[in-house]
Amino acid sequence: MAVIIDGKAISEQIRGELAAGVAAMKQNGTTPGLAVVLVGEDPASQVYVRNKIRACEQLGIHSEDHRLPADTTEGELLALVRELNRREDIHGILVQLPLPRQIRERAVIEAIAPEKDVDAFHAQNVGQIVQGQYDFLPCTPAGVLELIRRSGIPVEGKDCVVVGRSNIVGKPMAMLMLHENATVTICHSRTRDLSAVTRRADILIVAIGRAKFITADMVKEGAVVIDVGMDRDENGKLCGDVDFAAVEPKAGYITPVPGGVGPMTITMLMKNTVTAARLAGGRR
Ligand code: GUN
């Protein structure tokens, strides 16, 4: 029987701490501001954006919801990003991904001022993370690390296996665990004998986007299992990359879907926005 890591409860705790920080900043005359930009009508993105705006409202952070049509050109989006870069009342800029095909994601990400890049996707921020000196961490990996820390799970010297190598989750996640002194392995779709690798993991972090892909035989007895997946099962029900019912009895700790990593991602976005506002205050 695993300890179930309650991402919702840990998230609420952190949001309480952040709300206190925001209130103090407001007393000193600064309201943190986040601009969220959504191009097109992807239903999942619409839900994520709505949740981000709602979290801002809950914490007293100023938010702006910029919705652009699906046929927006790259030039139009870049013009909006540059305008938001110039605004003093906007400390964080988040352009929801994926973007429509006519827009190059990299061009847009690199146009965001690095000090407003609350996703930490800009090459400058990525480079700083690799070097271990950074102001922002990408929201999902930061949320995973916070879940591990606040659950009192030691990381140093542990075998950590990350399944998935995306720029948003897998790669930065591996780097963070390395900074925490884990021995880190990154697996992906071409990995040979994946289960032999995952079975060595003391800490297994899965971000591949395939419903219930990780089965009990792929997990070591007592392992910490962190599920970043947001998938649909054969009945259309929300589930993760881990077969929770099968793996939970074998794991030491496990995150559920929903209610695990998901709430933490948005909480870390709020944290980055507050950090961006604080740093902007220091530069004035
Ligand atoms: N799409 C899926 N995850 C993310 C994220 O963390 N940030 C942005 N901007 N878009 C996403």
Side-chain angles (χ1 to χ4, degrees):
M1 284 290 281
V3 174
I4 302 198
I5 299 178
D6 186 344
K8 204 154 173 277
I10 294 175
S11 185
E12 284 305 321
Q13 187 187 358
I14 299 170
R15 287 190 199 192
E17 296 162 14
L18 287 173
V22 171
M25 287 178 82
K26 281 180 158 175
Q27 286 217 318
N28 291 324
T30 302
T31 300
L34 174 69
V36 181
V37 182
L38 173 58
V39 184
E41 269 138 39
D42 177 62
S45 290
Q46 287 176 333
V47 174
Y48 296 147
V49 164
R50 187 166 356 109
N51 289 339
K52 287 167 185 177
I53 300 283
R54 200 176 290 153
C56 285
E57 285 164 2
Q58 186 196 359
L59 297 189
I61 294 173
H62 167 70
S63 66
E64 286 183 4
D65 188 355
H66 293 266
R67 304 277 173 130
L68 302 178
D71 62 356
T72 299
T73 64
E74 186 178 295
E76 288 166 336
L77 181 55
L78 289 175
L80 173 60
V81 167
R82 290 186 186 120
E83 180 200 325
L84 294 168
N85 281 343
R86 285 192 296 267
R87 293 256 308 270
E88 283 203 2
D89 58 331
I90 292 297
H91 307 98
I93 302 171
L94 181 140
V95 179
Q96 187 67 30
L97 305 179
L99 289 167
R101 302 160 52 103
Q102 73 275 17
I103 301 176
R104 292 170 302 158
E105 267 175 18
R106 260 295 128 200
V108 176
I109 289 168
E110 301 309 328
I112 297 172
E115 66 275 14
K116 297 191 178 187
D117 169 36
V118 284
D119 265 326
F121 291 167
H122 191 288
Q124 179 179 312
N125 288 321
V126 175
Q128 289 187 346
I129 290 163
V130 173
Q131 292 173 344
Q133 277 206 328
Y134 46 78
D135 295 319
F136 310 118
L137 287 173
C139 303
T140 300
V144 169
L145 186 57
E146 202 62 33
L147 284 179
I148 290 172
R149 281 193 181 139
R150 293 196 184 223
S151 302
I153 296 165
V155 176
E156 184 162 313
K158 295 291 166 67
D159 275 319
C160 175
V161 174
V162 179
V163 187
R165 56 175 160 181
S166 69
N167 288 330
I168 294 186
V169 184
K171 281 186 214 165
M173 188 74 244
M175 205 46 69
L176 294 198
M177 298 309 277
L178 184 61
H179 293 328
E180 296 294 313
N181 298 316
T183 301
V184 182
T185 306
I186 306 178
C187 299
H188 46 79
S189 54
R190 311 285 169 85
T191 297
R192 259 187 294 142
D193 201 355
L194 177 66
S195 9
V197 184
T198 58
R199 268 199 300 271
R200 286 207 308 266
D202 301 308
I203 301 173
L204 179 62
I205 302 174
V206 193
I208 49 170
R210 292 178 63 175
K212 302 185 185 178
F213 181 81
I214 299 291
T215 47
D217 59 304
M218 299 170 81
V219 176
K220 175 158 85 177
E221 192 81 43
V224 177
V225 180
I226 308 284
D227 189 349
V228 182
M230 288 264 259
D231 314 308
R232 298 274 166 188
D233 71 8
E234 58 282 5
N235 302 316
K237 200 164 154 268
L238 188 63
C239 72
D241 292 347
V242 176
D243 184 346
F244 185 89
V247 171
E248 186 272 329
K250 202 172 177 187
Y253 290 80
I254 191 166
T255 62
V257 177
V261 174
M264 293 297 288
T265 295
I266 296 185
T267 299
M268 292 299 116
L269 173 65
M270 299 299 110
K271 182 178 173 195
N272 283 348
T273 304
V274 172
T275 301
R278 190 160 12 84
L279 293 175
R283 277 192 299 272
R284 265 206 291 278

